[in-house]
Amino acid sequence: MSPLALMSTQLVKLESPKGPALPFLVLFLVVVGGPMIIERFRIPGIIGLLVGGLLIGPHGLGVVGSGNTTVPDLGDIGLLYLMFVAGLELDLRLVHAHRKATAIYSALTFSLPMIAGTVAGLAIGFNASAAVLLGSLLASHTLVVYPMIREMGRGDDPAVATGVGATVVTDTLTLVVLAVVSGVTVGNSGGLEIASQVVIGLLAVGVGCFLVLPRIARVFLSRFGKARASRYVFALVTMLAAATLAELFGIEGIVGAFFAGLALNRLVPNEGDLMERIEFFGGAVFVPIFLVSVGLIIDPAVMADPETLRLAAIFIGACFGGKALAALLTRPLLGYRWPEVGVLFSLTIPQAAATLAATIVGYDIGLFATNVVNAVLVLIAVSLVLSAVITPIFTKRLPIPTEGAGRMGRRVLLAIDPHEPLRRGTAEVARRLAVSDDGIVIPVVVAADESLPSETTWPLTEAMLVLLGIDRHIEVFIDTSTGAGVRHAAHSFHCTSVVADDPAGVLHDQLEGTSVDQPILFVGALTAKQLNRAVVMGDGDDDEVLEDLARRLARTAVPVRDHEAFDLLLQPAGRAQESNGDGDVTCVRVLTGSGGSDDS
Amino acid sequence: MRRHRAVAAAALGLALVLGLGACGSKIDAGGDFSPHHAGTLTVATGEIPLVGLWNGTPAHPDGGFEYELARKLAYHFGLAHLEVVVIPFSRLVEGHLGGADLALSDMTATASREKVLDFSVPYLAATPAVLVRSGQDVADLKTARGLSWAVGRSTTLRDFLDTTIRPTGRTVLTSSESETSRAVAQHKVDAGLLDLPVASAIAQASNGELTVAGQFDENDDVSAALPQGSDNVPAVDSAIRSLTADGSIDDLAQRWLGLDLTGSSAQDVPVIRTEGQ
């Protein structure tokens, strides 16, 4: 061999990659490319991830072999994450507001598909455990189309709220059934003993998640959670801790993860920065990897098998039939009209998170073979496509919400004076208003263009806000005047209300009498006391808004005659600030947006 | 009236679906197992006795990890009888199961074997392990290279020895795992390369004469082998997953192989790294 040839072979000596880089490279290429490609065909991106997993898995190109445990392990974490986010995202305020209808519909939409699925399972030859597990996973649903309904402005419709609320119940019951079936299947004890153990375990997980966890979270977020990264990691810790707690009692970790999400629901507003981070990492990494790992299981030979398709048809029939019957029964029982029935059906047929979770666990414990898993995957695909198609059809037939029925605390602008440090009490008022609607606070420094704001105090203000749970960067808005800046910033950030730190009443005087699109609260005098008792001194016109605010901001609203006992005073704009004599009261004047001239 | 008709229609549709489900052949959710001989699970293996895996005699096996696993599988499938046939390992890996439903023979799925056999999900993690006489130390790959070795002729471990360890000393090819361990015990070679569970069982049974000096950081999972195209694979997979989930396989490994499978491979055996060497 010539020296040059020898050198060439020594320079270019390629070896087969042995480390984890290649499988992970392929995995993330699938995560990036799968949804992108499949969505071009107007198919939900989730299907792209499943198909991608199939392609790279042992039944496809074999890049991720059957012996690979890393991707499935990561997929397990992704499943926990999926259930955690499912609990976090639920709008519990809506659930509470429509609790009676929610209770009735929950019973229907769980029990009917559950019975149908169990009977179908027994009819086709499943044993009791497998049939019951099948019934429960058909009874669950995931709110895949809820964002679509919200974007169409019908998110607060009573029927939608009922469907959302039912998700908590159906998913929780599905996971409870899963815990019992799993315990009976893998445990060595009798059914009664297993059931007792599961009940005790669920109680322990419930106490841990709903009583202990929120307290720990509040302390951490208010005292130690200054850094945004640490807040995110803390959220991960709570998820994993709850999952571990569940597993200690022989319950599937996903139950713990779901409960942890529910428990932290009020502390993590859906539109806040922390939720955005949680959704970002979930959407970018954890959940897609879980879906790809599910795709690894798909065996096209089995999926195309007539027996699998027969199973899928039966599962679809039992699931959709049960959900349809539940939705139809809301007409005689709850008085819903056809569009609401249709929306309920479209909202509750998508099968994803809890269905996948229960199916994979059933597979892992040997209750389900590959053909059952593949049949469920067909069901998932059909349910996602169908719900995506029919949801807009029914949703646009729902009544359009009346003007002014919006949620004041959804997006609260906290207007900050660039020259004065923000008072903690004002930030607290904004926070309470946002919490009342599971909303967010958007802190904005509003300045007139002739006085540029100094940034030196902002880090301190941000730190103070973060410790209050207001997890957002401070924005800056410069306008011709502070008053115009507040109005325009509120419009620009799509705010539903404004809270302004206004000790001297300067901003109030600027805006008094002008036309505004949303209520503006001018916080004047501040007390260091907790806001427990509020009194409204209205003029009749805006009393309804003021009384609503009183209920949101304080624990109780007291009658005017009991004025010695209040610590929060709400008045219409234009009045001089009043007090209860000793001056130790928070005084808020409210401009509600009726009448006046526009000074734009 | 219209709403009642809609409810009735939905209920009727649901009943129809359930009725259709009841027609047609029955399906076991965990997969259907159809044995060659009704009521009997026939299992093939390459060697009896094999310490830790198959105890007793070919005519009357009476213990061991794979024997007990076979019994549990028979029970899981509702089969009253278990029949064991001994087929040389070299024939098993060529796809000749001698009419058995499946083979349990410390076998790893490889690309060439998958051309003639179907494999179940793994039931045991099996890293390549070094069996030596007590007192001998094999701390690293360099030391391993300087030894003489015994390894099974038809096993994946032979490939591992040739491509990764690349010994400079003599290599003896054996036809069984017992022969490999005897070669070590009789000072014919310095070390034997065996799957960790087997090496561990042999060392345990040797009264301190033999020991497992280390394991290599390469995973070779052991699976059940079935005739190619067998319809029983899903059922066997479900059964193995079920036995894994309820701890049965862990218990068997602890009892017959002296291994704690919780987590990954046996934690007490040192790992000999091969990457970058």
Side-chain angles (χ1 to χ4, degrees):
Chain A
M1 191 185 280
S2 71
L4 187 62
L6 187 64
M7 223 164 54
S8 301
T9 56
Q10 284 179 345
L11 277 172
V12 185
K13 191 181 173 187
L14 299 178
E15 290 191 10
S16 175
K18 286 193 186 118
L22 178 61
F24 273 94
L25 167 65
V26 173
L27 174 66
F28 282 108
L29 281 174
V30 167
V31 167
V32 163
M36 260 169 48
I37 294 169
I38 208 88
E39 280 168 2
R40 283 174 180 268
F41 300 96
R42 299 187 177 224
I43 297 172
I46 185 176
I47 306 296
L49 292 167
L50 295 173
V51 170
L54 157 67
L55 284 174
I56 67 172
H59 303 293
L61 300 171
V63 178
V64 179
S66 55
N68 184 297
T69 54
T70 307
V71 175
D73 283 346
L74 280 176
D76 288 344
I77 299 293
L79 180 56
L80 292 180
Y81 204 97
L82 187 70
M83 297 312 300
F84 177 61
V85 173
L88 271 181
E89 281 182 335
L90 284 172
D91 193 335
L92 295 180
R93 187 203 65 91
L94 267 185
V95 172
H96 182 74
H98 300 277
R99 51 192 178 279
K100 185 184 166 195
T102 298
I104 293 170
Y105 185 64
S106 300
L108 292 172
T109 200
F110 181 80
S111 59
L112 291 173
M114 169 86 186
I115 292 168
T118 305
V119 170
L122 290 170
I124 56 180
F126 286 11
N127 63 31
S129 294
V132 167
L133 185 59
L134 174 68
S136 76
L137 66 91
L138 296 185
S140 72
H141 60 265
T142 304
L143 297 174
V144 173
V145 295
Y146 179 51
M148 196 188 294
I149 297 174
R150 270 210 317 236
E151 275 169 31
M152 293 176 75
R154 308 308 204 274
D156 289 348
D157 186 276
V160 174
T162 301
V164 168
T167 308
V168 179
V169 177
T170 58
D171 282 8
T172 304
L173 286 176
T174 293
L175 296 177
V176 168
V177 170
L178 173 65
V180 173
V181 168
S182 158
V184 168
T185 303
V186 304
N188 294 320
S189 315
L192 190 60
E193 200 174 323
I194 292 293
S196 309
Q197 190 176 335
V198 168
V199 167
I200 292 169
L202 284 171
L203 278 172
V205 174
V207 165
C209 287
F210 295 112
L211 291 181
V212 175
L213 190 57
R215 285 174 168 75
I216 296 174
R218 265 190 214 101
V219 168
F220 180 86
L221 294 174
S222 63
R223 288 197 194 166
F224 309 108
K226 260 197 247 180
R228 291 189 163 85
S230 67
R231 293 164 78 85
Y232 172 73
V233 175
F234 178 76
L236 282 186
V237 166
T238 60
M239 176 192 82
L240 294 168
T244 304
L245 178 63
E247 286 175 1
L248 278 175
F249 289 93
I251 296 170
E252 292 300 325
I254 50 176
V255 177
F258 183 61
F259 281 12
L262 286 178
L264 295 186
N265 188 289
R266 300 302 298 271
L267 294 172
V268 184
N270 276 356
E271 293 179 52
D273 276 6
L274 179 55
M275 188 64 181
E276 195 183 310
R277 260 172 253 125
I278 290 172
E279 284 175 340
F280 171 76
F281 279 102
V285 179
F286 293 110
V287 174
I289 289 180
F290 163 67
L291 293 167
V292 172
S293 74
V294 172
L296 299 179
I297 304 172
I298 299 175
D299 185 345
V302 176
M303 207 172 233
D305 181 59
E307 205 57 67
T308 303
L309 294 175
R310 178 186 155 222
L311 278 178
I314 292 168
F315 294 172
I316 289 169
C319 175
F320 289 8
K323 294 291 187 185
L325 199 51
L328 285 166
L329 284 170
T330 60
R331 279 180 61 81
L333 295 176
L334 298 175
Y336 286 164
R337 291 154 295 174
W338 286 112
E340 288 162 322
V341 169
V343 165
L344 273 177
F345 175 69
S346 71
L347 192 57
T348 56
I349 55 165
Q351 302 287 302
T355 305
L356 267 173
T359 305
I360 295 305
V361 171
Y363 176 81
D364 283 344
I365 62 176
L367 268 186
F368 292 156
T370 318
N371 60 345
V372 174
V373 174
N374 281 273
V376 171
L377 291 173
V378 172
L379 162 68
I380 289 171
V382 170
S383 74
L384 290 176
V385 172
L386 180 64
S387 65
V389 167
I390 67 174
T391 294
I393 296 171
F394 289 112
T395 304
K396 66 184 177 200
R397 294 194 168 101
L398 287 178
I400 296 169
T402 53
E403 208 171 312
R407 292 155 61 180
M408 222 188 314
R410 201 96 181 98
R411 295 173 68 83
V412 179
L413 183 95
L414 174 59
I416 302 170
D417 187 328
H419 302 295
E420 297 291 334
L422 174 67
R423 294 179 298 169
R424 188 188 170 97
T426 304
E428 175 64 21
V429 167
R431 187 194 71 82
R432 285 187 178 217
L433 182 54
V435 164
S436 69
D437 274 335
D438 284 335
I440 57 168
V441 176
I442 303 168
V444 180
V445 169
V446 180
D449 56 2
E450 68 269 17
S451 59
L452 294 173
S454 159
E455 295 185 30
T456 54
T457 59
W458 291 357
L460 290 172
T461 304
E462 268 193 4
M464 184 258 285
L465 291 175
V466 166
L467 291 177
L468 275 178
I470 298 171
D471 186 13
R472 274 186 90 100
H473 287 293
I474 294 179
E475 309 280 354
V476 177
F477 204 92
I478 300 176
D479 210 320
T480 51
S481 70
T482 314
V486 166
R487 288 175 47 238
H488 296 151
H491 180 75
S492 184
F493 289 104
H494 309 290
C495 290
T496 52
S497 59
V498 177
V499 172
D501 196 24
D502 192 26
V506 170
L507 190 60
H508 166 271
D509 293 342
Q510 274 188 34
L511 288 174
E512 180 202 344
T514 59
S515 171
V516 293
D517 294 330
Q518 56 282 107
I520 301 180
L521 283 66
F522 303 95
V523 180
L526 264 182
T527 176
K529 293 189 294 189
Q530 284 274 356
L531 301 179
N532 283 322
R533 295 163 70 83
V535 68
V536 170
M537 289 188 185
D539 56 11
D541 293 339
D542 301 318
D543 282 3
E544 198 178 318
V545 175
L546 294 176
E547 281 162 8
D548 182 18
L549 279 170
R551 282 189 295 274
R552 289 168 185 269
L553 297 178
R555 198 168 291 178
T556 52
V558 298
V560 173
R561 64 176 179 277
D562 202 13
H563 64 273
E564 290 87 7
F566 69 82
D567 40 47
L568 169 64
L569 169 65
L570 288 154
Q571 298 171 273
R575 279 212 188 168
Q577 292 195 54
E578 293 195 34
S579 71
N580 66 347
D582 61 9
D584 192 13
V585 64
T586 294
C587 181
V588 177
R589 289 181 286 181
V590 183
L591 184 62
T592 57
S594 53
S597 61
D598 192 336
D599 70 341
S600 62
Chain B
M1 193 53 139
R2 188 173 159 209
R3 73 166 75 141
H4 294 131
R5 270 210 292 266
V7 171
L12 192 64
L14 195 54
L16 195 64
V17 165
L18 299 180
L20 280 173
C23 303
S25 55
K26 301 295 181 206
I27 300 171
D28 188 323
D32 291 308
F33 188 87
S34 303
H36 281 136
H37 306 292
T40 301
L41 176 67
T42 309
V43 174
T45 191
E47 186 180 347
I48 299 178
L50 178 58
V51 174
L53 294 181
W54 293 91
N55 292 5
T57 65
H60 296 289
D62 58 16
F65 175 87
E66 286 184 333
Y67 171 72
E68 294 292 343
L69 178 60
R71 287 185 60 196
K72 284 192 180 290
L73 287 173
Y75 179 77
H76 187 91
F77 298 137
L79 302 171
H81 304 290
L82 171 67
E83 189 181 324
V84 179
V85 295
V86 179
I87 308 283
F89 189 82
S90 56
R91 297 264 301 157
L92 287 176
V93 297
E94 289 171 355
H96 304 292
L97 266 57
D101 297 310
L102 55 97
L104 298 175
S105 194
D106 190 32
M107 198 186 301
T108 302
T110 65
S112 58
R113 292 173 185 174
E114 279 173 341
K115 289 179 186 165
V116 295
L117 291 165
D118 282 345
F119 286 91
S120 72
V121 293
Y123 56 78
L124 199 60
T127 52
V130 185
L131 184 73
V132 296
R133 292 180 293 281
S134 290
Q136 181 156 10
D137 186 34
V138 183
D140 50 37
L141 186 61
K142 187 179 170 191
T143 309
R145 280 195 177 131
L147 303 176
S148 57
W149 289 86
V151 68
R153 178 175 290 110
S154 308
T155 64
T156 56
L157 294 169
R158 180 183 172 184
D159 294 332
F160 182 80
L161 184 72
D162 291 341
T163 58
T164 304
I165 300 176
R166 301 197 301 271
T168 53
R170 191 167 61 99
T171 299
V172 172
L173 299 177
T174 64
S175 57
S176 70
E177 284 155 333
S178 301
E179 195 179 324
T180 300
S181 69
R182 277 200 300 276
V184 176
Q186 291 168 4
H187 294 248
K188 289 181 183 172
V189 292
D190 299 318
L193 192 62
L194 294 160
D195 284 333
L196 178 61
V198 174
S200 178
I202 291 173
Q204 252 196 332
S206 71
N207 291 322
E209 190 186 331
L210 299 172
T211 186
V212 181
Q215 58 179 317
F216 291 96
D217 54 354
E218 169 133 337
N219 217 5
D220 258 354
D221 292 333
V222 174
S223 304
L226 291 92
Q228 193 169 50
S230 170
D231 290 333
N232 291 331
V233 174
V236 174
D237 283 349
S238 293
I240 290 173
R241 284 196 304 273
S242 177
L243 293 173
T244 303
D246 70 9
S248 296
I249 289 188
D250 281 352
D251 291 340
L252 290 180
Q254 183 81 28
R255 184 179 166 203
W256 294 105
L257 305 173
L259 282 177
D260 178 3
L261 295 179
T262 310
S264 55
S265 43
Q267 295 91 336
D268 292 335
V269 179
V271 175
I272 304 169
R273 291 188 67 244
T274 58
E275 292 223 353
Q277 310 230 10

